[in-house]
Amino acid sequence: MPLVWLRVAVAFYAVGLLYSLLLLSKRGNLLAKVVEPAVGLGLIFHFVSLVESTVQVGRLSFASIHYSESILAFMAMVVFFIFFVLYRTVSPGVVIFPIVFVLTFASAIGQKPVTLTSPLLRSGWIFVHVVLIFTGYAGLFLSFGASLLYLVQERALKAKRATPLLTWLPPLQTIDEICYRALLFGFPFMTLGLIAGSVLAIDKYGPLFFYDPKILLSFIMWAVYMLLLYTRWSSGWRGRRAAFLATFAFVIALSVWAANSFSRTHRFIVS
Amino acid sequence: MGGKQLQPHPQVYRFMNFIVIGVNHQTAPVEVREKFAIPEARLAEATKSLASYPGIEEGMVVSTCNRVELVARTVNGTADLHGFVRQFYGFDPAPYREHLYEYREREAVRHVFRVASSLDSMVVGEPQILGQVKEAYATARAVGAVSSHLDALLTRAFAVAKRVRTETAIATSAVSVASVAVDLAKKIFGNLQGKTVYLVGAGKMCELAARHLLAHGAQKLYVANRTYDRALALAEKFDGEAIPFEQLYETVPNADIVISSTGAPHAIFRKEHGEKFLSRRKNRPMFFIDIAVPRDVDPEMNKLDGIFVYDIDDLSQVVSSHIADRRVEADRAEAIVQLEVDKFQSRLQTLDVVPTIVSLQEHLETVRQAEIDRVRGRMGTLTPEQEMAVEALTRGIINKIMHTPITTLKSAARESSEATTVIDLVRKLFGLRDAGKAAAAADEANAVGSGKPGAHN
């Protein structure tokens, strides 16, 4: 049953995806009026799906990679909606919707019954670790999306032509604020998540845990995250330079995700 | 009428000897307009030398950021205005031939009406151009460069502009450069609440843009101007702060929006300034609106991250979409202008004293002939000598009588405000027929007689 709800959520998220594609192809925004309620409903079904599967298993669990994808997508949508409420703009969705769609879609087609292999996954600490890290990711994703939009808007303003994009995108300063606040929002979660993970790992594997590729990459990502905030604080980097850094952070985030297959500490699935 | 065919008078078409040459935003890019632009300080001098250029009777110079125009009335319908350009600017206008337009006679009248009515503006219907034409006219009057006909033309142009504004919706929906600037500022800063505006130069356009920005929430206003008093006056108006011009570069980084419209011949903000501003501002964005021609802000500055520079041509591109919406109203306005050109032409014809002089001569000649015929019956046959003496006597009398009215009419013609009164008075005193009809008759006669091309519609 959780899978059914998740698939319904995917269908709603598809509206978001379609909206993004239509915007990028400059076909106007036919879906502008329905996209908010659609992804909102998607989020509700997504939530129902997560709750039900948790209830079925008896606790929150991250044993399946598909389940984790679903959680990550959920957190991304939650952060998106927080910023939507604050700034009344769906524009970062252009980047967020496709990511969320791909994550939930992958999660919805391949979900197998959850298999618990590691006793570690039963602990409450792991739940704290994963939720914190994923919230941090969600902030980073949103900031990355907004920084791309910043570039688009900046270019449109510099080109001095009244393009449809220029009228659709929120003002440059609003995009900039979303960019920055999303980073600020995500950073403490990411930091606490890493601390929680480190505590867990030291407890379980000893100090050597640090040589795991996934963990190493995670710390690099954290450093880039820190760098993003620092350049922003110290010299007000925004626009092109900030977007490059954010893209860099995003690529590392992707490789952290991919590093699962090489990671000792994060391989939980029975294959 | 004594059965005598009216002679075409060489001066009848004098009233349409208008000529306009110029460059505007449609024909020339800002780089070319910069070359022709005349700073306010030199406007009087330019107007004066135009009016005293050979072949030209009256002259006026309009120089705004979007256009530079020489309006003149010539002695005989043509004048070498390119020669004037060469003399005044010190360069040959030939390479800019494709950018220069020239209008004569009726077309020149129509053009002046269209300019004053804001139909030829970058933003059709924007109100600033009328004020600018009025200023150019005031300058020309002050240096004595306009008298009868150019005066009548401009007075009429202002009336036409008023008519267009009140009878069409063109002005009500007008998007002025100022409001376009506000829209762009909102695209960059979102809410203008708490933003700081910096005016460099205290011109009218600056003031208008500042008014718009403040009305949309901008909080603080700085004004820097070469003449500190003008900065002070403008700053007071908006509760802002006047800055001595020497402190310009230290204070500009405080501003989010900079509107520049100085008469400086070179850019006052260059790329290296922009880099300094950005580091002082921790890369917070800045918006430069450059409404000066020649430009105050080096276009290179737009390449810096976080600095957005819009010059007057860029603003025009942004508003071009709005212009299409107003096509219908613009067509109505064009019709009004056309009608007014016709009216002006016939009005100038009545203004012309020549038909009145001709009919005065005819009238007195008729009286003389009639009196001689009447008296001849009583006197019997006269010798040829007596006949000649009577002729000479009567002619002498009417010539003496006509002398003062004719010189008065001619001098009145030079001062247009007097002309109609004097013409009416003379016509009334001598019982001459209607001025309009006389003009039409004179016109007709001329059309047959003069064969002057293009003078007649």
Side-chain angles (χ1 to χ4, degrees):
Chain A
M1 202 56 185
L3 207 54
V4 173
W5 297 133
L6 188 62
R7 284 175 184 166
V8 173
V10 168
F12 280 113
Y13 288 155
V15 177
L17 177 76
L18 212 62
Y19 170 78
S20 307
L21 293 178
L22 277 177
L23 267 178
L24 292 177
S25 64
K26 291 174 185 166
R27 296 279 299 277
N29 32 12
L30 291 165
L31 297 173
K33 284 196 178 117
V34 292
V35 70
E36 297 163 31
V39 295
L41 282 172
L43 187 64
I44 290 167
F45 282 109
H46 197 166
F47 182 66
V48 171
S49 149
L50 284 176
V51 168
E52 250 192 67
S53 68
T54 310
V55 169
Q56 269 185 12
V57 179
R59 71 192 69 77
L60 267 165
S61 80
F62 301 94
S64 146
I65 190 160
H66 300 298
Y67 190 73
S68 314
E69 282 163 355
S70 174
I71 293 266
L72 179 58
F74 181 74
M75 293 317 293
M77 280 313 289
V78 169
V79 174
F80 167 79
F81 264 99
I82 291 173
F83 279 85
F84 172 73
V85 169
L86 286 175
Y87 291 100
R88 310 303 311 171
T89 171
V90 290
S91 44
V94 172
V95 179
I96 294 294
F97 295 158
I99 295 176
V100 166
F101 177 79
V102 169
L103 285 173
T104 46
F105 185 72
S107 176
I109 52 166
Q111 206 168 50
K112 290 175 254 171
V114 180
T115 40
L116 298 168
T117 51
S118 166
L120 189 68
L121 291 171
R122 293 169 185 273
S123 87
W125 271 104
I126 196 82
F127 164 73
V128 171
H129 164 63
V130 171
V131 167
L132 287 176
I133 288 267
F134 280 7
T135 311
Y137 270 139
L140 186 65
F141 284 2
L142 190 71
S143 179
F144 167 69
S147 75
L148 293 186
L149 294 181
Y150 187 98
L151 283 189
V152 172
Q153 174 77 315
E154 188 184 35
R155 181 164 289 197
L157 279 165
K158 292 241 181 201
K160 301 165 177 183
R161 272 179 192 82
T163 60
L165 268 180
L166 194 68
T167 50
W168 167 76
L169 280 171
L172 203 60
Q173 190 165 310
T174 308
I175 303 178
D176 186 50
E177 272 176 39
I178 293 175
C179 216
Y180 181 52
R181 297 253 164 96
L183 269 190
L184 265 188
F185 171 84
F187 189 68
F189 288 99
M190 185 71 89
T191 311
L192 291 173
L194 280 180
I195 290 171
S198 303
V199 168
L200 264 175
I202 290 173
D203 186 45
K204 185 77 190 163
Y205 302 103
L208 273 180
F209 81 95
F210 204 73
Y211 296 109
D212 183 82
K214 188 178 168 95
I215 292 174
L216 215 59
L217 279 169
S218 295
F219 276 95
I220 294 175
M221 189 185 67
W222 184 82
V224 175
Y225 207 137
M226 184 76 185
L227 192 69
L228 264 173
L229 277 174
Y230 177 74
T231 53
R232 178 64 198 236
W233 275 325
S234 65
S235 51
W237 272 23
R238 35 166 83 70
R240 221 177 322 168
R241 286 173 289 195
F244 281 145
L245 267 185
T247 312
F248 186 44
F250 184 71
V251 169
I252 298 176
L254 288 182
S255 44
V256 170
W257 194 255
N260 263 5
S261 30
F262 309 106
S263 168
R264 201 160 42 86
T265 52
H266 287 80
R267 188 174 291 168
F268 306 118
I269 314 158
V270 190
S271 45
Chain B
M1 299 272 278
K4 198 174 76 180
Q5 179 65 45
L6 280 171
Q7 286 306 301
H9 197 287
Q11 279 196 312
V12 165
Y13 276 103
R14 204 184 50 169
F15 59 83
M16 289 305 266
N17 282 351
F18 296 115
I19 182 164
V20 175
I21 75 163
V23 289
N24 69 13
H25 58 101
Q26 282 164 336
T27 67
V30 65
E31 295 86 53
V32 173
R33 301 202 306 271
E34 276 169 359
K35 292 216 161 37
F36 285 90
I38 297 169
E40 216 179 316
R42 286 195 70 199
L43 195 63
E45 176 204 337
T47 312
K48 218 168 168 176
S49 56
L50 173 64
S52 54
Y53 192 76
I56 290 173
E57 281 192 12
E58 303 172 62
M60 184 183 92
V61 179
V62 182
S63 179
T64 75
C65 40
N66 282 324
R67 68 182 67 248
V68 179
E69 292 192 349
L70 309 174
V71 184
R73 187 169 67 88
T74 62
V75 179
N76 56 11
T78 55
D80 181 20
L81 283 179
H82 287 86
F84 170 77
V85 170
R86 210 170 297 126
Q87 180 199 304
F88 182 77
Y89 291 101
F91 62 78
D92 187 23
Y96 305 108
R97 199 163 287 272
E98 55 173 323
H99 300 299
L100 280 165
Y101 47 83
E102 181 169 334
Y103 297 107
R104 283 162 190 251
E105 297 160 357
R106 265 181 71 90
E107 282 310 301
V109 171
R110 185 166 163 265
H111 180 72
V112 171
F113 285 4
R114 291 188 74 242
V115 169
S117 312
S118 191
L119 290 174
D120 198 47
S121 294
M122 183 180 89
V123 182
V124 174
E126 56 91 7
Q128 290 98 1
I129 183 66
L130 182 59
Q132 287 159 337
V133 175
K134 278 183 174 166
E135 272 170 32
Y137 166 69
T139 307
R141 267 195 87 103
V143 298
V146 292
S147 49
S148 61
H149 291 76
L150 211 47
D151 195 280
L153 174 66
L154 268 305
T155 314
R156 197 62 219 154
F158 301 146
V160 174
K162 190 176 176 190
R163 222 190 123 184
V164 166
R165 210 171 48 233
T166 50
E167 291 180 22
T168 71
I170 204 153
T172 54
S173 58
V175 188
S176 71
V177 170
S179 56
V180 170
V182 169
D183 286 350
L184 281 167
K186 281 189 171 170
K187 268 287 147 209
I188 295 171
F189 299 111
N191 203 329
L192 295 185
Q193 222 77 47
K195 292 286 174 274
T196 304
V197 181
Y198 201 122
L199 302 186
V200 186
K204 273 268 146 52
M205 283 282 282
C206 253
E207 184 180 334
L208 197 78
R211 194 185 297 278
H212 268 73
L213 287 165
L214 291 169
H216 284 85
Q219 200 166 35
K220 184 114 186 71
L221 181 84
Y222 292 109
V223 189
N225 193 52
R226 290 213 194 268
T227 349
Y228 184 67
D229 288 346
R230 285 188 65 187
L232 208 59
L234 191 57
E236 244 166 44
K237 218 182 217 175
F238 294 111
D239 232 358
E241 192 178 325
I243 307 279
F245 207 79
E246 307 79 59
Q247 291 170 26
L248 178 71
Y249 294 110
E250 297 111 80
T251 45
V252 158
N254 297 332
D256 303 293
I257 302 161
V258 180
I259 308 168
S260 195
S261 71
T262 73
H266 304 293
I268 52 176
F269 296 112
R270 286 187 304 276
K271 205 175 173 183
E272 57 267 28
H273 294 127
E275 280 160 1
K276 273 185 208 142
F277 297 160
L278 280 174
S279 77
R280 283 269 306 271
R281 292 172 58 78
K282 278 194 166 188
N283 289 312
R284 270 179 300 130
M286 272 181 112
F287 180 28
F288 281 85
I289 304 162
D290 184 3
I291 43 187
V293 175
R295 284 168 290 181
D296 283 344
V297 185
D298 185 350
E300 281 294 300
M301 234 167 83
N302 193 44
K303 292 188 179 150
L304 294 173
D305 278 355
I307 289 193
F308 302 89
V309 181
Y310 274 69
D311 68 30
I312 200 86
D313 275 11
D314 301 330
L315 295 173
S316 95
Q317 276 185 346
V318 177
V319 299
S320 58
S321 55
H322 299 270
I323 293 169
D325 305 338
R326 276 173 287 142
R327 237 335 105 209
V328 179
E329 287 305 307
D331 286 348
R332 283 186 56 208
E334 295 284 1
I336 292 178
V337 165
Q338 199 53 45
L339 204 74
E340 288 287 344
V341 171
D342 292 340
K343 269 168 76 178
F344 180 70
Q345 185 170 5
S346 52
R347 196 180 107 83
L348 270 196
Q349 282 166 346
T350 62
L351 249 185
D352 205 336
V353 293
V354 175
T356 306
I357 293 173
V358 171
S359 51
L360 180 61
Q361 284 169 330
E362 285 169 359
H363 171 70
L364 293 184
E365 180 63 21
T366 318
V367 172
R368 192 181 69 88
Q369 287 293 345
E371 287 308 301
I372 288 175
D373 289 349
R374 205 158 60 83
V375 171
R376 195 176 272 136
R378 274 189 264 149
M379 288 195 294
T381 42
L382 300 170
T383 64
E385 289 79 19
Q386 285 171 321
E387 194 78 57
M388 267 171 66
V390 171
E391 276 287 316
L393 172 71
T394 50
R395 271 189 199 282
I397 291 171
I398 63 166
N399 281 344
K400 280 263 153 50
I401 293 171
M402 277 200 301
H403 179 74
T404 324
I406 286 174
T407 47
T408 311
L409 276 168
K410 280 185 175 168
S411 71
R414 267 171 249 128
E415 192 59 55
S416 67
S417 55
E418 258 179 56
T420 21
T421 334
V422 175
I423 290 171
D424 283 353
L425 194 63
V426 170
R427 288 191 173 275
K428 218 171 259 172
L429 284 176
F430 290 95
L432 304 176
R433 67 202 174 95
D434 182 61
K437 280 189 214 149
D443 206 24
E444 207 171 276
N446 261 284
V448 177
S450 75
K452 191 169 182 284
H456 211 260
N457 63 316

